[in-house]
Amino acid sequence: MSEAAPINRIALVEDDEDLARSTAQLLKLAGFEVTLFDRAQSALDVLDADWPGVVVTDVRMPGISGIDLFRTVRERDAELPVVLITGHGDVDMAVDMLKSGAWDFLTKPFDPDGLVTVCARAIRARELALENRQLRALAGDEAAPVLLGQSPSIRRLREMIPMLANADIDILIEGETGTGKDLLARLIHRSGKRARRRFLPLPCAGMDEALVTRTFGPASDPAILAVDRGTLYLDDVDRAPSRLQDRLISFVEKRSVESGPNEVPLDFRIVATSLPLEEGEAMPVQPALFYRLAAMRLVLPPLRERREDVSLLFARFAAACAQRLGRNVPPLSDAVRTRLATHDWPGNVRELRNFAELFVMDLVGDPSGEEAGGDGRAPGGEHASLAERVDAFERGEIVQAVRATGGEIGAAIRALGLPRKTFYYKVAKHGIDLPSLKKGGG
């Protein structure tokens, strides 16, 4: 999850110079970064709650013993693993320390491979502990901006919001489904001089001819009058039927509507959203409308292109869900961490939010989905994994859309709101037989 340097440091505390040198060499050859201390106090001067690694210490040392070192470290950070190196006479003491929270102990002379294995497991535990700590910190950061993310593209958009909010130019926001186009549009409205006036959403994909006429046609009090001095939000303008596009061209140019016998001028700005055009794809918006709306074009990148934002978004969504349900955010498991780091998130921020909420409700199961059985349930009677449920949902939605459009693939793609490449990627991923579907098959 974290983009920081890998956690692989070992604080080796050993007063025997020869043993310290040989042990440090062993650990360095195994890939660890070793910081060597010949006294416990020297180590305590460095070790804190953010130490990005583990501690390996001899028990018997002059001054502060390894046991006292362990106790002090545990007071500073109970999640910092401490491995004790003991003589045979100290085994009982070491066992008592295990009960008190020490990570492990080895007796001299210890097996070199055994030390490497113990350290590797401890490093892994430390990495997860620090990432869970980061998750909790991110979740509790109420000062974070509403448009979350630290990727360069999101930072740039965030910086532009105040300037665009008070400008009178129209804006076209392009992005895949689930990237947050609606959020960005509302942020632009709320951040400027029009915030006290109406933010009027117009879902272009769902407007039939009768609704177009009622909205823009002659009437004593057309609903569109409410947008005066506010923002008209044209959602999915790329899915607007041609009749609506014709009306919009005139409306955007004239900035007025008929109300009874009069032509009423309106002061408004437009924020429109659209899916990005695939290479070679014909523009679904009439040029006369597109270039009027796109005085300023903003692009919201898909989540797979800003992976550094996944942890922050996941933390905020999980915290919001936990607060709503009156629950604590669970610790981040290795399986969930792997999914956050490797999944492509084709549903973008919306898919990540759903995953975070299932995680908080303990409904994630095995995110890898590799152990689930063919009946939709995982071994041991557990429910199917999240990955399986998402795949089954996606497959069903695609099949239903193709059937509903009579096998018209272009219409199905528009109904699903997917980029063409994403549609065919999912078709291949889920093994959907498109030719059979076009013929009415399953």
Side-chain angles (χ1 to χ4, degrees), residues 11 35 100 111 119 123 135 186 205 329 362 423:
T35 303
S100 299
D111 175 28
C119 289
I123 285 287
L135 176 66
R186 292 177 186 274
V329 177
D362 200 24
F423 172 82

Side-chain angles (χ1 to χ4, degrees), residues 1-217:
M1 236 169 70
S2 174
E3 295 297 321
I7 296 171
N8 68 342
R9 296 180 67 180
I10 294 178
L12 176 60
V13 190
E14 174 58 69
D15 64 315
D16 184 316
E17 186 177 346
D18 292 336
L19 181 58
R21 188 184 302 111
S22 61
T23 304
Q25 183 178 12
L26 165 69
L27 293 172
K28 288 177 181 178
L29 289 173
F32 300 110
E33 180 183 338
V34 180
T35 303
L36 190 58
F37 303 95
D38 62 357
R39 293 290 187 274
Q41 185 57 58
S42 301
L44 289 173
D45 291 340
V46 173
L47 297 173
D48 57 22
D50 296 320
W51 174 258
V54 302
V55 179
V56 177
T57 180
D58 191 10
V59 167
R60 294 192 178 275
M61 293 183 296
I64 301 174
S65 71
I67 298 300
D68 291 332
L69 170 63
F70 158 68
R71 288 173 176 154
T72 304
V73 165
R74 186 161 178 77
E75 289 175 0
R76 294 179 180 179
D77 184 355
E79 295 179 310
L80 177 53
V82 177
V83 179
L84 302 172
I85 305 293
T86 73
H88 288 288
D90 300 321
V91 171
D92 290 341
M93 183 189 303
V95 170
D96 288 339
M97 290 303 99
L98 284 179
K99 295 176 182 178
S100 299
W103 177 261
D104 208 338
F105 75 91
L106 298 172
T107 57
K108 297 178 181 178
F110 53 81
D111 175 28
D113 291 338
L115 176 62
V116 169
T117 299
V118 167
C119 289
R121 287 201 304 265
I123 285 287
R124 185 66 178 140
R126 182 60 172 166
E127 186 176 27
L128 288 174
L130 290 179
E131 289 186 346
N132 276 315
R133 192 174 297 172
Q134 180 192 42
L135 176 66
R136 291 191 294 270
L138 291 173
D141 183 8
E142 296 300 328
V146 179
L147 186 63
L148 293 174
Q150 293 303 318
S151 59
S153 56
I154 295 300
R155 287 188 180 190
R156 243 185 341 264
L157 286 172
R158 216 164 35 229
E159 292 167 358
M160 294 173 68
I161 288 175
M163 295 180 288
L164 294 174
N166 287 310
D168 288 325
I169 58 174
D170 296 328
I171 298 171
L172 178 65
I173 303 174
E174 297 175 292
E176 294 180 7
T177 298
T179 49
K181 299 188 293 294
D182 180 85
L183 171 64
L184 180 56
R186 292 177 186 274
L187 280 174
I188 291 171
H189 171 75
R190 290 204 304 261
S191 301
K193 61 186 179 182
R194 298 182 184 271
R196 295 181 178 272
R197 308 299 296 185
R198 185 79 178 271
F199 179 87
L200 182 64
L202 204 65
C204 297
M207 294 194 70
D208 57 21
E209 188 164 340
L211 184 56
V212 171
T213 301
R214 285 199 302 273
T215 304
F216 296 102

